Amino acid sequence: MPHFIVEYSGNLEDKLDFQPLFERLHEYVIGTGQFPIGGVRSRAIKVDHFRVADGREDFALLNMNLKIGHGRDMELKREVAKNVFAILTDWMKPVTDEHYVQISFELTELDPELKYNQNNIHTLFK
């Protein structure tokens, strides 16, 4: 952990380059020293079927969820959420300057008893 998951409306497809965003997000969370580098991952999922507000074709949406493992204090979670949202909205600024877009973000802390994973990448960074 952490995992960045972005869902975006299909009408943004030709306006977005996710790799610079993912690079900034990874650098930030790794730089906090609170998240293991081997667990950081990002993905973007285009949503072809959507409706925003009154359904105008040029209205768009982008939602990011940051999932983190359990155990970090609220102060850190608030700081990370605030800074990740700032990175996201800064990256989106060229688009929001020209288009109507609903941007949302949520940080989710996973329950340690209900989360399962297997990751052999961690051993590369020890």
Side-chain angles (χ1 to χ4, degrees):
M1 301 257 103
H3 298 187
F4 294 96
I5 304 166
V6 180
E7 295 175 322
Y8 65 97
S9 55
N11 60 351
L12 291 174
E13 176 74 13
D14 62 344
K15 298 170 183 61
L16 303 175
D17 179 5
F18 286 100
Q19 292 309 316
L21 172 64
F22 293 159
E23 183 177 345
R24 286 178 63 191
L25 292 170
H26 284 225
E27 286 176 359
Y28 169 70
V29 296
I30 292 164
T32 67
Q34 301 298 312
F35 302 96
I37 188 171
V40 183
R41 57 193 90 155
S42 297
R43 55 200 172 273
I45 303 161
K46 182 176 77 165
V47 178
D48 289 321
H49 304 283
F50 64 92
R51 182 179 175 93
V52 176
D54 63 3
R56 295 180 205 185
E57 289 186 20
D58 60 335
F59 284 177
L61 66 90
L62 184 139
N63 175 69
M64 177 186 285
N65 182 270
L66 169 56
K67 296 181 179 187
I68 64 170
H70 179 74
R72 290 160 183 98
D73 65 40
M74 184 55 74
E75 184 177 332
L76 175 67
K77 291 186 285 189
R78 270 193 216 106
E79 180 182 332
V80 168
K82 179 184 79 162
N83 290 330
V84 165
F85 189 66
I87 291 168
L88 175 63
T89 54
D90 180 62
W91 172 77
M92 281 294 294
K93 188 164 177 16
V95 177
T96 58
D97 283 350
E98 301 290 327
H99 305 279
Y100 293 104
V101 184
Q102 295 174 339
I103 301 172
S104 56
F105 168 76
E106 179 181 12
L107 186 149
T108 305
E109 183 177 36
L110 300 176
D111 186 314
E113 293 187 38
L114 301 175
K115 178 191 165 292
Y116 299 86
N117 66 309
Q118 180 177 327
N119 180 348
N120 63 359
I121 295 175
H122 286 296
T123 58
L124 295 172
F125 295 99
K126 289 188 178 191

